[in-house]
Amino acid sequence: ALRVQILASMIRDHFDFWFEKRTFTNGGGNQCTYLAPLLQHFVPGAAAGIAKAARLAWEAAGWEGDDIIDEEKRCSHEMSQEDQGDHSKGWINTGFPEPSSLGMRTSEHLSYDGWRSLEAHRDGGSVYTVNFALTEPELFGGGSFYLQEEDEEGEWARDIVIRPPRLGAIVFLSETLHGVRQITSGRRETFVSELWAEDDAPTGACRPNSELMRRYDAAAEEGVHLRVEDTLKPRPGRCGVYRNP
C-alpha cells in the first residue's frame, strides 16, 4: 500500500499528464492518478495481487456460469448430435470471463480532496473492477462504498454498503452502479483497477477505450510509435466533466 501511495505522489510531482481531477456528471468526483504506466516497475507484485483478488471473487460469486446448449441453433437444426456433446461447438456460457483471460485497462490511485462524495455510476467498458482500500476506516468519517442492487426490471432494489479494512478488496462487475457516500472528515484513499476484454493498456494510455486501442494496433502494424501527448483524449481533468464512457 505504501509503495502505491509513494508511486502516486511521484507521478503527480513529475508526470502531471497522468493526473486529473475528475468531476462526474451525476455528482461528486475524485482525484485520479494513473499508475498503470509505471506500476509493474515500482510495485511488481501489484498485478498479481489484483489478479488473485479477481479470481477469488470470480470463483466465490459463481461468475464462471454454466455451459448450456444454444437452443436457437439446436431448434434450427444447425447443431449435430456430435456438436451437442462438444462444448466448443454450439454452446453458450452463461457466466463472465475468467479474470486471467482479460487485460488490465487501468490502475488508479483515488482520493477525494476537493470532493466529499461520488454519486452512483458504472465503469462502462470494463468487466471487473478491483478496489483496494488504502486507508483504515476509522481514519475518516462517512465515505462508505456502496453498490446498487437492481431488480429484474433494472430498477433500484437496495444499496449494499461496504466499509473494508485497509488492504481489503472489493471486487464487482464493472457495470454495477456504485459510489462513495459523503465523507464527513479525514482522508479516504483507494487503489482501483479495471479488467476488460481488450489487451493490457499500452504504456502511456490512461483508461483507454476500444477506439484508442485500435489506434495503437494500427500504429504498431505501421511501425509507428505513438507519443503520450498523441493519446491523451480530452479527459475530465482537462475539460472538467467525467462521463465514464
Side-chain angles (χ1 to χ4, degrees), residues 45-188:
I50 294 163
K52 181 178 179 181
R55 172 77 191 195
L56 289 172
W58 182 76
E59 293 175 345
W63 287 336
E64 67 270 28
D66 299 303
D67 288 334
I68 62 172
I69 289 179
D70 186 332
E71 292 295 338
E72 183 176 340
K73 286 188 175 181
R74 184 171 71 170
C75 292
S76 63
H77 305 291
E78 291 182 22
M79 287 182 69
S80 66
Q81 289 294 322
E82 182 180 348
D83 286 347
Q84 291 185 31
D86 184 350
H87 281 217
S88 67
K89 299 178 180 179
W91 287 67
I92 300 172
N93 184 271
T94 60
F96 295 89
E98 199 281 321
S100 66
S101 70
L102 303 175
M104 184 78 71
R105 183 184 189 184
T106 187
S107 286
E108 305 167 0
H109 172 275
L110 301 180
S111 63
Y112 297 83
D113 305 331
W115 294 270
R116 306 310 292 172
S117 66
L118 183 59
E119 296 306 311
H121 64 284
R122 307 178 196 272
D123 294 335
S126 298
V127 181
Y128 305 115
T129 299
V130 183
N131 186 322
F132 284 94
L134 297 181
T135 312
E136 292 289 2
E138 60 268 22
L139 296 181
F140 60 93
S144 295
F145 180 87
Y146 66 91
L147 296 163
Q148 287 193 352
E149 193 173 78
E150 299 175 326
D151 59 24
E152 294 180 357
E153 284 73 39
E155 299 294 330
W156 176 87
R158 63 168 180 152
D159 283 353
I160 301 172
V161 181
I162 310 167
R163 199 172 174 82
R166 182 173 179 270
L167 302 185
I170 303 168
V171 183
F172 57 93
L173 299 176
S174 299
E175 290 291 343
T176 305
L177 281 166
H178 60 282
V180 177
R181 290 188 169 172
Q182 186 80 10
I183 300 169
T184 58
S185 63
R187 192 168 191 265
R188 184 184 190 276

Side-chain angles (χ1 to χ4, degrees), residues 153-233:
E153 284 73 39
E155 299 294 330
W156 176 87
R158 63 168 180 152
D159 283 353
I160 301 172
V161 181
I162 310 167
R163 199 172 174 82
R166 182 173 179 270
L167 302 185
I170 303 168
V171 183
F172 57 93
L173 299 176
S174 299
E175 290 291 343
T176 305
L177 281 166
H178 60 282
V180 177
R181 290 188 169 172
Q182 186 80 10
I183 300 169
T184 58
S185 63
R187 192 168 191 265
R188 184 184 190 276
E189 295 181 57
T190 56
F191 170 47
V192 178
S193 300
E194 297 176 24
L195 305 179
W196 67 337
E198 303 273 359
D199 292 334
D200 290 343
T203 299
C206 301
R207 199 177 185 275
N209 53 27
S210 296
E211 179 184 352
L212 183 56
M213 293 297 286
R214 286 193 293 270
R215 286 183 59 195
Y216 270 102
D217 290 340
E221 290 178 2
E222 296 173 4
V224 176
H225 176 69
L226 289 182
R227 300 174 302 170
V228 171
E229 54 267 34
D230 293 331
T231 65
L232 292 176
K233 58 186 178 181

